[in-house]
Amino acid sequence: MSSYERVHIGGSWQRPHGTERLTMTDPRTGEAGATVTLADAVDVERAVVVARSTFDEGPPWSLADRLDCLDGLADVIEAQSETFAEQISAEIGATDQFARLAQVGVAVSTLRGIVAAARDYRFEEEVGDSTVVSEPAGVVAAIAPWNYPLHQALGKVGAALACGCPVILKPSELTPLSAYLLADAARDAGVPDGWFSVLAGRGDVVGAALVESPGVDVVSFTGSTDVGRWIASRAGSTLKRVALELGGKSPSILLDDLDEQAFAAAVRSTVAFCLMNVGQTCAAWTRMIVPESRYQEAADLAKECAATYVPGENLAPVASREQWERVASYLRSGVEEGAELVYGDPRPASPDGGYFMAPVVFGRVSTEMRIAQEEIFGPVLAIQTHTGDDDAVRVANSTDYGLGGAVFGDDPRRVGAVARRVRSGSVHVNGLNGNRMAPFGGYKQSGIGREFGRWGLQEFLEVKAIQPPPGYRLPRADQASLAVVGGGS
Ligand code: NAD
């Protein structure tokens, strides 16, 4: 069995100070796998010292060189996509195809999108007589979840490096080894010494030490709302900047003007996105809000669609036993609160072997039920009903979350009006539509800040107004040399 006893600090593998050993479990079999020695708070300080001195005193790394290097990193990952995909499958149980296309393929596209956004970004602009410059914000701690480990890591690491910020990545306890592959890929792509560290460790040890370190300027966190709340409050003590990408309970609204075929397509699309990655997607459409008069049509279609997902065949296991128990407890809660069981077994037998779980569809879910309010993060769809567009918006907005959503309808004016009233960071129209240059993030308890596109870069930039006297002309900086860092440059 492989054993990993190392941390990646500023581009080189070192012996960790931490001594705790974590045994990985393969969710597909429930069997023990590699062991990983976890970093501790001393390792965090070592990584922070290196990142700090890179930022404050290191040789400059120009914007043009950074972006070329990140392009190269995308190439390296693409060339090793099988290796990344196999590792991610072993860590979180994703099927081979999903790991290759969605986990690795989307991650590479995300990184290329960040580079494209940075190439377009105006790091310097004139506002009246002032020159407004966007400069790197400093040392970044990137704390990532396990559900799309490479994509989440690159969303932070790519944007931080593009902006000129050294970055320390703390992956989830479930996915340290895919993050270590990323460390090697960054080295292969030529990320210079000092700019990138990866520390596998516990959230309450390594994550907390990063959040509390005075040497860290920005915390970019993706994970649960509870941990995000704790991070925001602790980061306040050193007044560091925080970007939070948190949980969701996203609605998919079906308007009453859809014809039979479009209605069926909308249900299929909703079930598919709800069950993507076994329901472990932050923006998943987990609440399908359908016209009251078409409830039975929607329930029958959802049942038919959910039945095509077979655990172990085309449905992967959930990522951990803890995740399995959590989903099972929500299934019990759905039954206890009186939701109608449309499809599936709400009392699955405990898994022996892999952490597989069949989809469950609940109907007639009222807005007060826990399964309507709380993020389950498993293969569970709740069907709710509306009596018209205003009521659909009311039901859609009836949770504390505001991350994703969808509106399906025939009349673009109605669809647009409803989409604008949904209090969420993104709303898809008539299907799942990707745009790597668009921002992603949450309203309400789903977060603070945005990732991707130019909005994602802003999380890692400070803005300075240089104010000359009237008539004084400041020479324009050449774009390639902008956002150069290094106090010694
Ligand atoms: P989590 O909050 O348990 O952990 C996320 C990360 O935070 C992990 O690396 C963990 O080790 C670390 N952490 C835990 N406690 C910490 C602490 N006290 N200080 C600092 N770091 C700490 O979340 P998870 O279970 O890994 O991921 C699932 C959650 O992530 C879901 O709620 C999901 O909706 C959310 N998520 C959100 C987005 C988004 O973009 N909004 C994307 C993916 C996942």
Side-chain angles (χ1 to χ4, degrees):
M1 209 66 76
S2 313
S3 164
Y4 295 80
E5 194 168 359
R6 56 190 197 166
V7 285
H8 191 78
I9 295 187
S12 67
W13 291 109
Q14 301 180 17
R15 252 192 117 68
H17 178 271
T19 53
E20 184 185 349
R21 283 181 159 228
L22 179 76
T23 301
M24 314 278 298
T25 304
D26 189 329
R28 298 167 299 186
T29 58
E31 284 169 10
T35 60
V36 178
T37 304
L38 299 178
D40 66 7
V42 173
D43 294 309
V44 169
E45 261 331 286
R46 287 162 64 196
V48 170
V49 165
V50 169
R52 203 59 271 159
S53 85
T54 299
F55 187 73
D56 294 333
E57 298 147 31
W61 191 22
S62 73
L63 175 65
D65 288 348
R66 297 197 301 269
L67 299 187
D68 286 348
C69 182
L70 290 172
D71 260 337
L73 176 58
D75 294 340
V76 171
I77 296 171
E78 201 159 36
Q80 299 173 7
S81 55
E82 282 299 323
T83 309
F84 274 97
E86 279 168 22
Q87 184 57 54
I88 292 171
S89 289
E91 288 175 334
I92 66 162
T95 60
D96 296 347
Q97 194 192 27
F98 191 77
R100 232 178 318 106
L101 298 180
Q103 294 285 358
V104 184
V106 171
V108 168
S109 166
T110 295
L111 181 56
R112 295 202 194 281
I114 289 168
V115 174
R119 290 199 194 283
D120 284 350
Y121 199 80
R122 291 174 70 194
F123 285 93
E124 188 163 317
E125 58 186 298
E126 310 294 322
V127 179
D129 286 332
S130 305
T131 297
V132 177
V133 293
S134 292
E135 300 180 328
V139 171
V140 171
I143 304 178
W146 47 262
N147 57 332
Y148 292 88
L150 185 61
H151 166 72
Q152 302 299 342
L154 285 174
K156 299 172 189 313
V157 172
L161 293 179
C163 291
C165 301
V167 55
I168 303 165
L169 170 66
K170 194 213 88 66
S172 159
E173 292 87 327
L174 294 185
T175 58
L177 297 179
S178 52
Y180 281 173
L181 288 177
L182 177 59
D184 279 330
R187 210 101 209 115
D188 292 350
V191 172
D193 287 347
W195 285 85
F196 184 40
S197 297
V198 182
L199 300 176
R202 293 205 181 275
D204 57 357
V205 177
V206 170
L210 284 166
V211 170
E212 291 178 335
S213 170
V216 170
D217 300 294
V218 180
V219 175
S220 174
F221 170 79
T222 299
S224 60
T225 294
D226 282 347
V227 175
R229 217 176 267 124
W230 182 88
I231 286 178
S233 69
R234 285 309 301 153
S237 68
T238 45
L239 268 190
K240 50 176 66 79
R241 193 192 288 203
V242 177
L244 302 173
E245 299 287 340
L246 308 177
K249 190 76 194 175
S250 300
S252 172
I253 301 172
L254 277 59
L255 300 181
D256 61 14
D257 61 356
L258 292 163
D259 65 25
E260 200 178 313
Q261 207 182 353
F263 192 82
V267 172
R268 277 197 293 273
S269 175
T270 302
V271 173
F273 190 43
C274 176
L275 299 184
M276 193 167 105
N277 206 21
V278 208
Q280 302 166 128
T281 299
C282 53
W285 303 332
T286 50
R287 293 182 298 135
M288 183 165 73
I289 305 171
V290 303
E292 174 59 45
S293 58
R294 299 178 81 171
Y295 169 75
Q296 200 53 50
E297 184 185 353
D300 291 345
L301 286 162
K303 176 178 177 174
E304 195 180 292
C305 198
T308 64
Y309 289 79
V310 181
E313 287 180 22
N314 59 358
L315 193 66
V318 296
S320 64
R321 179 172 279 273
E322 185 189 6
Q323 194 61 21
W324 194 98
E325 302 289 354
R326 172 193 165 96
V327 178
S329 89
Y330 276 109
L331 296 180
R332 287 194 295 276
S333 152
V335 173
E336 282 157 18
E337 288 186 297
E340 178 181 302
L341 182 64
V342 172
Y343 177 78
D345 179 0
R347 291 195 175 76
S350 268
D352 48 348
Y355 308 135
F356 292 95
M357 184 164 241
V360 171
V361 179
F362 285 116
R364 301 254 168 244
V365 175
S366 66
T367 53
E368 304 77 42
M369 290 180 188
R370 283 182 63 212
I371 58 166
Q373 289 294 329
E374 298 175 23
E375 182 181 54
I376 299 174
F377 230 52
V380 185
L381 176 71
I383 307 178
Q384 301 180 283
T385 60
H386 68 82
T387 54
D389 294 5
D390 289 345
D391 194 45
V393 170
R394 178 189 67 79
V395 177
N397 290 337
S398 66
T399 76
D400 289 337
Y401 291 112
L403 189 59
V407 182
F408 293 84
D410 187 51
D411 175 356
R413 271 172 311 173
R414 276 178 69 190
V415 169
V418 170
R420 286 183 173 86
R421 292 169 66 195
V422 173
R423 303 275 302 154
S424 282
S426 58
V427 181
H428 293 249
V429 167
N430 289 346
L432 185 65
N433 311 300
N435 175 1
R436 65 184 192 178
M437 303 303 274
F440 181 82
Y443 284 29
K444 304 193 279 183
Q445 304 283 307
S446 288
I448 299 174
R450 293 292 178 270
E451 284 192 313
F452 314 131
R454 65 186 154 89
W455 300 269
L457 299 175
Q458 286 163 359
E459 303 294 345
F460 303 103
L461 293 169
E462 286 284 10
V463 178
K464 177 190 288 169
I466 303 178
Q467 309 268 144
Y472 185 100
R473 293 225 59 78
L474 206 67
R476 270 194 79 76
D478 143 36
Q479 176 77 3
S481 67
L482 285 172
V484 167
V485 294
S489 63

